[in-house]
């Protein structure tokens, strides 16, 4: 899969570009093709196709299928770039030193944030591991369910960032200011309904992924906490992407890294190892950290300092 890392970078770059250009359907269509290639090729390589002389390769086949599908997506994005974006300057010339400076200024904080976020999640797994095997299995399901729940929030957040960035680019500060609030209200209302399902029937959802009764038991209330706070995630992701869309990447990085590494992880470690916190307490700290991020991002958007940012 390491061979696909450059293609992953190309995919993320084009995702931002097509969203900013208000053509998100290109990203969606390409993603659907990538998934189709990934599923079809991975199945063929994992289990083999004797009639075609393809041997069963197991997990190696899964890695090859996934990597190939990502490169297929990158190739499609490049093709669409030359077809639909040449009039926007795509591929017309080599970036200048100032272009690279602006790119690095925006990309470095976000890249660092993502790296530390992933490292922090690994640290959280280690902390949960101190509680037991059932709790570790429960957290693995909880994180995947939470990420599934917030996917619509991420999409709406990207839209809010693109719309705010375009409004700011044409000098309409009032429109740029209002878009994230409108998107956040809509997304929070949507996620409240989805979160209500997790609050009311958590065991039903958990039994789809877990068979161990102990794991289901310890995951029930944490899933309810996730359902209760998912509307806060909607606000957080909307405001975070809006701030990134107008170039306020440095402050977003400080909030993300600070709340995770200076607040949540130390509190979770101390609580679990010294105070005897169970998974309910630890997960409460986790969702509390995410709600705190939402409040801070909203306050940052309201203070308006992002209006003074110059990208050039």
């Amino acid at each position: 899969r390491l061979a696909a890392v450059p293609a992953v970078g190309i995919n993320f770059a084009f995702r931002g570009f097509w969203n900013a250009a208000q053509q998100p359907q290109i990203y969606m269509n390409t993603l659907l093709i990538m998934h189709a290639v990934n599923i079809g090729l991975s199945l063929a390589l994992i289990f083999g196709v004797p009639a075609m002389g393809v041997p069963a390769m197991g997990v190696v086949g899964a890695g090859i299928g996934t990597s190939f599908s990502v490169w297929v997506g990158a190739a499609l994005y490049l093709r669409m770039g030359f077809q639909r974006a040449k009039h926007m300057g795509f591929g017309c010339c080599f970036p200048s030193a100032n272009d690279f400076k602006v790119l690095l200024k925006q990309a470095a904080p976000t890249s660092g944030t993502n790296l530390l976020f992933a490292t922090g999640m690994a640290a959280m797994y280690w902390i949960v591991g101190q509680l037991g095997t059932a709790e570790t299995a429960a957290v693995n399901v909880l994180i995947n369910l939470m990420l599934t729940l917030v996917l619509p929030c991420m999409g709406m957040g990207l839209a809010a960032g693109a719309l705010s960035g375009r409004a700011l680019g044409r000098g309409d500060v009032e429109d740029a200011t209002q878009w994230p609030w409108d998107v956040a209200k809509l997304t929070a209302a949507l996620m409240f309904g989805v979160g209500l399902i997790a609050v009311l029937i958590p065991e039903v959802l958990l039994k789809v992924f877990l068979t161990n009764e102990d794991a289901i038991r310890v995951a029930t209330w944490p899933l309810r906490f996730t359902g209760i706070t998912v509307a806060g995630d909607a606000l957080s992701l909307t405001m975070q992407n809006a701030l990134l869309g107008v170039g306020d990447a440095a402050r977003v990085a400080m909030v993300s890294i600070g709340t995770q590494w200076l607040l949540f992880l130390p509190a979770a470690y101390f609580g679990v190892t010294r105070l005897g916190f169970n998974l309910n307490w630890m997960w409460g700290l986790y969702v509390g950290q995410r709600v705190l991020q939402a409040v801070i991002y909203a306050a940052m958007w309201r203070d308006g300092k992002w209006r003074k940012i110059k990208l050039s």
Side-chain angles (χ1 to χ4, degrees):
R1 294 197 178 194
L2 287 176
V5 169
V8 171
I10 294 171
N11 277 258
F12 278 124
F14 272 105
R15 182 184 73 174
F17 173 78
W18 292 122
N19 277 315
Q22 293 190 328
Q23 298 185 56
Q25 73 280 0
I26 294 178
Y27 171 67
M28 184 187 72
N29 293 340
T30 305
L31 198 62
L32 290 174
I33 294 172
M34 287 169 58
H35 284 318
V37 172
N38 186 18
I39 293 169
L41 186 59
S42 293
L43 283 173
L45 294 178
I46 290 170
F47 300 106
V49 184
M52 300 177 64
V54 178
M57 301 174 68
V59 292
V60 175
I64 294 172
T66 301
S67 299
F68 184 79
S69 70
V70 178
W71 277 109
V72 167
L76 290 172
Y77 280 133
L78 289 168
R79 177 173 173 268
M80 294 303 295
F82 283 110
Q83 284 185 345
R84 296 198 180 188
K86 290 206 72 173
H87 66 285
M88 303 180 199
F90 180 80
C92 67
C93 57
F94 194 77
S96 66
N98 186 63
D99 291 335
F100 280 115
K101 180 182 176 181
V102 172
L103 176 62
L104 185 62
K105 183 180 178 181
Q106 292 299 309
T110 304
S111 299
T113 299
N114 290 337
L115 176 62
L116 288 171
F117 172 79
T119 308
M121 294 301 287
M124 188 179 80
Y125 269 108
W126 181 85
I127 294 171
V128 174
Q130 311 306 304
L131 293 172
T133 304
E135 285 82 358
T136 304
V139 164
N140 186 53
V141 172
L142 287 167
I143 288 176
N144 281 285
L145 282 172
M146 184 196 68
L147 292 176
T148 302
L149 285 174
V150 302
L151 279 176
C153 304
M154 293 178 67
M156 297 294 276
L158 287 169
L163 291 166
S164 292
R166 286 177 65 89
L168 199 62
R170 64 175 182 267
D172 192 343
V173 178
E174 183 178 349
D175 195 35
T177 302
Q178 190 59 38
W179 266 118
W181 294 116
D182 292 341
V183 172
K185 292 172 189 174
L186 176 62
T187 311
L190 171 67
M191 297 316 297
F192 176 80
V194 175
L196 197 60
I197 299 173
V199 173
L200 296 176
I201 52 169
E203 294 92 347
V204 175
L205 295 176
L206 290 168
K207 285 179 180 178
V208 176
F209 306 98
L210 293 168
T211 56
N212 183 278
E213 291 298 326
D214 287 337
I216 294 172
R217 176 180 53 80
V218 298
T220 297
W221 272 103
L223 183 55
R224 284 196 173 108
F225 294 159
T226 300
I228 292 168
T229 58
V230 72
D233 272 321
L235 176 63
S236 176
L237 288 167
T238 301
M239 293 302 172
Q240 180 189 44
N241 281 282
L243 288 162
L244 291 173
V246 297
D248 204 355
R251 289 203 300 166
V252 169
M254 285 191 291
V255 172
S256 178
I257 295 169
T259 54
Q260 184 184 33
W261 282 92
L262 300 181
L263 291 178
F264 166 65
L265 288 174
Y269 174 77
F270 187 78
V272 168
T273 60
R274 301 300 174 88
L275 301 180
F277 281 6
N278 60 17
L279 185 60
N280 291 342
W281 281 99
M282 203 220 72
W283 196 258
L285 289 172
Y286 178 65
V287 296
Q289 168 229 333
R290 294 178 70 88
V291 171
L292 177 61
Q293 284 182 348
V295 173
I296 296 174
Y297 288 142
M300 288 167 58
W301 188 259
R302 188 181 293 277
D303 70 25
K305 292 180 180 179
W306 50 269
R307 300 175 187 176
K308 302 175 183 178
I309 295 173
K310 303 294 183 183
L311 296 181
S312 56

